[in-house]
């Protein structure tokens, strides 16, 4: 799915589960490119997305308890650092354990 289509569907979706799914897709798509510098300029030029849209999706996920945005010492949100962590660790350990706990025996 194209980034702009994801944004449109994210913004017009009324179903909370659908909105969470679409925002995760958008965040994971953008997280792939966190090695590019300057990051937000790359997002604007190559993905044709405004940084505000990505930040909006991340804030939505934070409100729903799906994501925790890192914060600096002075309390500012660190979006790019959070995206870098998502790229490195796409599934958190506690979630992974929850996904696999029913499948394996503990013997």
């Amino acid at each position: 799915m194209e980034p702009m289509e994801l944004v449109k569907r994210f913004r017009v979706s009324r179903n909370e589960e659908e909105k969470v799914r679409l925002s995760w897709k958008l965040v994971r798509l953008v997280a792939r490119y966190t090695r590019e510098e300057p990051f937000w300029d790359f997002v604007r030029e190559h993905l044709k997305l405004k940084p505000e849209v990505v930040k909006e999706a991340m804030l939505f996920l934070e409100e729903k308890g799906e994501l925790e945005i890192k914060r600096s010492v002075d309390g500012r949100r660190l979006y790019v650092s959070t995206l870098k962590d998502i790229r490195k660790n796409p599934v958190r350990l506690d979630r992974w354990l929850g996904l696999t706990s029913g499948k394996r025996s503990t013997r």
Side-chain angles (χ1 to χ4, degrees), residues 8-47:
K8 288 176 186 176
R9 290 181 63 192
F10 166 71
R11 287 195 168 163
V12 299
S13 178
R14 295 189 185 273
N15 183 353
E16 291 294 318
E17 292 174 11
E18 176 77 8
K19 202 166 186 172
V20 167
R21 188 179 63 78
L22 291 170
S23 57
W24 266 119
K25 273 188 172 183
L26 179 64
V27 168
R28 286 188 181 115
L29 173 73
V30 173
R32 292 180 196 165
Y33 304 103
T34 54
R35 291 186 183 131
E36 304 297 328
E37 292 292 332
F39 176 71
W40 293 117
D41 291 339
F42 180 85
V43 169
R44 264 189 224 102
E45 292 171 13
H46 291 85
L47 298 177

Side-chain angles (χ1 to χ4, degrees), residues 86-104:
I86 291 170
R87 178 181 48 84
K88 290 178 186 173
N89 304 313
V91 178
R92 296 187 62 113
L93 179 62
D94 54 348
R95 186 168 168 215
W96 182 82
L97 290 173
L99 292 173
T100 59
S101 65
K103 295 179 183 175
R104 295 183 180 173

Side-chain angles (χ1 to χ4, degrees), residues 29-89:
L29 173 73
V30 173
R32 292 180 196 165
Y33 304 103
T34 54
R35 291 186 183 131
E36 304 297 328
E37 292 292 332
F39 176 71
W40 293 117
D41 291 339
F42 180 85
V43 169
R44 264 189 224 102
E45 292 171 13
H46 291 85
L47 298 177
K48 308 292 188 238
L49 294 175
K50 294 180 181 178
E52 294 79 28
V53 173
V54 178
K55 292 175 184 179
E56 177 185 339
M58 291 177 74
L59 288 171
F60 174 76
L61 288 171
E62 189 175 46
E63 286 175 9
K64 296 299 174 189
E66 295 277 328
L67 173 72
E68 184 177 342
I69 299 173
K70 288 184 170 187
R71 305 220 183 243
S72 67
V73 175
D74 62 354
R76 297 182 70 193
R77 291 183 181 100
L78 301 173
Y79 294 101
V80 178
S81 295
T82 306
L83 287 169
K84 284 180 181 179
D85 281 353
I86 291 170
R87 178 181 48 84
K88 290 178 186 173
N89 304 313

